[in-house]
Amino acid sequence: MSSLLTFPKGGVHPPASKGLTANLAIEVMPVPDELEIILGQHIGAPCTPTVTPKDAVLEGGLIGEVTKGLGVPLHAPVTGTIKGFGMSGHPMRVSAPSITIQTDTEALPVQYSRCDWQKLSKEELLAKVHAAGVIGIGGAGFPSHVKLSPPPDNPVDTLILNGAECEPYITADHRQMLERAQEIVEGALVILKILGIKKCFIGIENNKPDAIKTMTEAAAAASTPEHTVVVQPLQVKYPQGSEKQLIQAITGRKVPGFALPSAVGVVVHNVSTARAIYDAVVLSKPLYEKVMTISGKGIKRPANLLVKVGTKVSDIVEYLGGVTPELAKIVMGGPMMGFAVSSLDIPVTKTTSSVLFLAEDEIDTTPHSQCIRCGWCLNACPMGLEPKEIALYVEAGRPQDTGQFGVFECFECGCCAYVCPAKRPLVQFIRLAKMKAKR
């Protein structure tokens, strides 16, 4: 275990809790009668609708676009009719503008066929990634075509695909690596061609030996003298899948504060994003459906599902047989970085990795107390920040003074709150500080 790569500072070891779904093959969820597609699913300006109520739309057809600023287009996940515009529930913003589509249940799924992408130029490949609306599926939703166009003054020499999937419960990437290994690796080759580089590493935590084996075989079969894809097993430690920690583990390079990975010659994509890039370039298929994990003791039937973007959590619950009497909390995302929600009327977006239905014995409802100055959060923080000081300053009404403790370098992994013996909601304090402080 000691010879496996990992990042040097901090990190924690929460229970993996992946046994509920790790061995469940991806199943296709039937399309609901109605979908609500949120217009702002990516970092940058939300989409402007290109459709009007009562318009007929085809599966994969354009329904929204960004005309200026950072962003990607939005596509209809189904063939149907535009029912109207409104506001939908959102796990972070409470509500967000959306388009509602009434599904045509008689329509046949669109069939996509391969193109010879090897003959396309870098610019043509990038245009296909943008046109398909591909964003970072595993994280904050950064437009992929922008990440694939690093600034010329930062030459890139390494691509890393993130298959760590270090968050407890979530197994969506794991299942895709088992069931779609060749597509992920071909997506990596597309990215290598766009970036004009030769080397790709796929980082996978060592608790997924089946994925390591499957991906290693696919990588070996696809590698050529021009493009090499290598699977790198990693030590099991959270947050191994965080971009900066993954880069340091695999390459030994440390990304400076507030800098992008390209500053140290690296581009990082999630394995699911690589598969979406494969769909976009090889099949000309837009990103409008995604694999997600539904888990926890509070759902009757845990599953890894392929769902259409815009599917409501309530429809997923109904499909899986409802919730159990033990249900105590619903979290969109993982237990470390996700958001608890109070409603099932929230639609899935391109970045929704999971919905967890947690029972009483899977959560901790102990009230928090004052900081006991034990320093555990300092040891756990992978960025070397001072979470306890940030929290104390927020409680004292001085969030504007927290920049000195690194508040803007925090990526809200939750390690500090996880180890805190006083159960202090440190991540929530940090989020509050970011909102109120000016950088």
Side-chain angles (χ1 to χ4, degrees):
M1 179 66 79
S2 59
S3 63
L4 291 170
L5 301 181
T6 190
F7 55 96
K9 171 84 179 80
V12 293
H13 294 86
S17 303
K18 293 178 186 276
L20 285 170
T21 56
N23 297 315
L24 299 178
I26 298 165
E27 58 180 290
V28 179
M29 180 177 156
V31 182
D33 292 336
E34 205 173 271
L35 298 175
E36 291 182 13
I37 296 92
I38 288 175
L39 289 167
Q41 303 203 15
H42 51 259
I43 286 179
C47 286
T48 302
T50 57
V51 288
T52 55
K54 298 185 179 176
D55 280 0
V57 291
L58 288 173
E59 178 183 335
L62 189 71
I63 58 171
E65 60 184 355
V66 176
T67 50
K68 56 183 179 181
L70 199 65
V72 294
L74 201 56
H75 302 84
V78 292
T79 296
T81 307
I82 302 296
K83 190 175 176 183
F85 306 120
M87 301 294 286
S88 292
H90 193 282
M92 286 177 282
R93 301 197 290 267
V94 183
S95 64
S98 64
I99 298 174
T100 301
I101 300 179
Q102 189 78 38
T103 305
D104 178 358
T105 52
E106 304 294 314
L108 295 172
V110 173
Q111 299 297 317
Y112 295 96
S113 52
R114 285 184 65 96
C115 76
D116 188 0
W117 62 269
Q118 300 277 13
K119 294 179 179 175
L120 301 178
S121 67
K122 168 188 170 176
E123 289 71 27
E124 289 170 320
L125 295 172
L126 266 178
K128 293 192 80 161
V129 172
H130 174 257
V134 181
I135 60 174
I137 292 174
F142 193 79
S144 296
H145 70 284
V146 178
K147 197 184 258 196
L148 291 172
S149 309
D153 53 340
N154 286 336
V156 168
D157 59 25
T158 303
L159 167 66
I160 295 178
L161 290 193
N162 180 1
E165 198 163 52
C166 56
E167 272 263 16
Y169 288 93
I170 307 176
T171 55
D173 285 350
H174 184 184
R175 292 310 310 179
Q176 288 192 86
M177 287 190 286
L178 288 177
E179 299 177 39
R180 298 283 185 264
Q182 290 172 323
E183 295 170 16
I184 292 169
V185 171
E186 191 166 353
L189 296 180
V190 171
I191 297 169
L192 289 174
K193 182 170 181 184
I194 290 173
L195 294 172
I197 61 176
K198 297 182 176 183
K199 198 168 43 179
C200 170
F201 294 102
I202 304 176
I204 306 173
E205 280 197 329
N206 206 41
N207 59 358
K208 308 174 187 66
D210 49 355
I212 290 172
K213 179 176 181 291
T214 305
M215 290 297 293
T216 299
E217 290 168 357
S223 291
T224 65
E226 291 78 37
H227 295 114
T228 58
V229 182
V230 177
V231 172
Q232 177 60 64
L234 302 167
Q235 200 178 118
V236 179
K237 183 166 75 166
Y238 179 87
Q240 187 78 260
S242 166
E243 204 168 53
K244 291 183 178 180
Q245 278 61 42
L246 190 65
I247 290 169
Q248 196 167 4
I250 291 178
T251 68
R253 303 173 194 175
K254 188 172 181 182
V255 181
F258 307 114
L260 295 172
S262 58
V264 294
V266 180
V267 167
V268 181
H269 277 288
N270 185 270
V271 289
S272 299
T273 308
R275 189 191 163 205
I277 288 171
Y278 163 87
D279 283 347
V281 169
V282 182
L283 302 179
S284 301
K285 178 182 178 181
L287 176 56
Y288 56 74
E289 57 188 11
K290 69 167 302 159
V291 177
M292 55 188 292
T293 298
I294 313 298
S295 192
K297 297 178 185 175
I299 190 83
K300 285 270 177 67
R301 184 167 76 84
N304 292 301
L305 294 181
L306 177 66
V307 305
K308 301 285 188 183
V309 168
T311 301
K312 283 188 182 178
V313 174
S314 55
D315 290 318
I316 294 172
V317 170
E318 187 181 342
Y319 173 65
L320 294 175
V323 298
T324 68
E326 295 78 34
L327 177 64
K329 182 181 277 192
I330 302 169
V331 175
M332 292 193 77
M336 299 294 285
M337 293 186 71
F339 289 79
V341 296
S342 57
S343 167
L344 295 178
D345 286 329
I346 297 178
V348 168
T349 68
K350 295 176 184 180
T351 58
T352 309
S353 55
S354 67
V355 184
L356 304 181
F357 296 82
L358 303 176
E360 201 71 50
D361 64 350
E362 295 177 286
I363 61 174
D364 188 343
T365 54
T366 314
H368 79 271
S369 59
Q370 295 303 311
C371 175
I372 62 172
R373 300 186 180 275
C374 63
W376 287 10
C377 61
L378 303 182
N379 291 334
C381 178
M383 296 299 290
L385 312 180
E386 299 188 53
K388 72 177 182 65
E389 295 297 333
I390 296 168
L392 291 169
Y393 269 66
V394 170
E395 286 181 309
R398 294 174 58 188
Q400 70 277 8
D401 297 327
T402 55
Q404 61 186 309
F405 306 116
V407 69
F408 293 108
E409 286 190 74
C410 171
F411 59 92
E412 302 171 21
C413 68
C415 288
C416 55
Y418 179 78
V419 299
C420 179
K423 307 297 178 190
R424 287 169 63 72
L426 294 170
V427 179
Q428 282 73 15
F429 281 132
I430 288 168
R431 285 177 182 150
L432 198 58
K434 283 181 182 177
M435 281 191 284
K436 296 196 171 185
K438 292 281 188 288
R439 206 174 117 185

